[in-house]
Amino acid sequence: MNLIDTIPGIDRSAAITLLAEITPRVAEYFSSDAKLASWVGGAPGNNKSAGVKKAARSLQGNKYAKGILCQCAWANCRSQNRIGAHFRRIRKRRGEQKAAVATAHLIIRIVYAILRDRVEYRLIEQTMFEDSTAKMAERFKKPKVIPWCGGSFF
């Protein structure tokens, strides 16, 4: 319980409820984080036909665990960490409800890794993501040089 409590947005009562719904020996029952997320009901739906993506709903799953995870996702919506940034990035494109479920999916994957490896959660600095984004922006600003024609592409 103390390991799960290190994740931002998960308090003591949420950690107790999550451990009651999914056992602390989660790695013995689920072979991967994707299978645990599917059992909880936080895995994204998939409905493709002939290469066309159609609207799909996630499974109902364990409603208690899914509810706690969505509450933890909402608790992170304004925090300045990796989970909060994930929520805000999805919210821009897809809306708040889908962002909450997608962030709950991220949290359950983190919980699985923590319980499997028995390590505390380590915060990843935001500057790490900002640096890579700035480098990518610089790369797109530079004109492409085509070696065989001697000129720039743009």
Side-chain angles (χ1 to χ4, degrees):
M1 179 181 65
N2 293 331
L3 293 175
I4 295 177
D5 199 16
T6 60
I7 301 171
I10 296 183
D11 61 346
R12 187 172 178 80
S13 63
I16 290 170
T17 306
L18 253 164
L19 282 179
E21 294 299 323
I22 60 169
T23 179
R25 301 177 318 188
V26 72
E28 295 175 16
Y29 296 104
F30 298 99
S31 60
S32 70
D33 57 350
K35 290 183 180 180
L36 174 63
S38 178
W39 179 79
V40 168
N46 186 13
N47 185 10
K48 288 184 183 178
S49 178
V52 177
K53 291 183 181 179
K54 299 178 182 179
R57 299 175 61 108
S58 59
L59 298 174
Q60 188 172 1
N62 186 328
K63 61 183 178 180
Y64 301 110
K66 189 175 181 180
I68 287 294
L69 288 168
C70 286
Q71 285 181 357
C72 295
W74 279 105
N76 274 310
C77 71
R78 293 187 181 178
S79 63
Q80 297 299 320
N81 56 31
R82 172 186 170 210
I83 299 171
H86 180 76
F87 184 93
R88 290 186 296 277
R89 189 172 56 244
I90 303 277
R91 181 177 59 187
K92 279 193 279 187
R93 296 180 285 129
R94 308 291 305 250
E96 291 185 335
Q97 295 297 323
K98 289 186 181 183
V101 175
T103 307
H105 181 251
L106 174 68
I107 292 173
I108 195 64
R109 289 174 49 211
I110 293 171
V111 167
Y112 179 84
I114 286 175
L115 291 176
R116 180 192 63 207
D117 300 337
R118 303 282 185 218
V119 295
E120 289 187 359
Y121 180 78
R122 289 179 292 152
L123 289 174
I124 299 174
E125 296 181 20
Q126 284 297 107
T127 57
M128 183 174 149
F129 298 114
E130 292 169 1
D131 290 343
S132 63
T133 306
K135 287 179 184 176
M136 193 170 19
E138 281 181 28
R139 192 174 71 215
F140 286 126
K141 287 181 182 176
K142 292 181 182 177
K144 294 183 180 179
V145 177
I146 302 172
W148 51 269
C149 76
S152 66
F153 186 69
F154 289 83

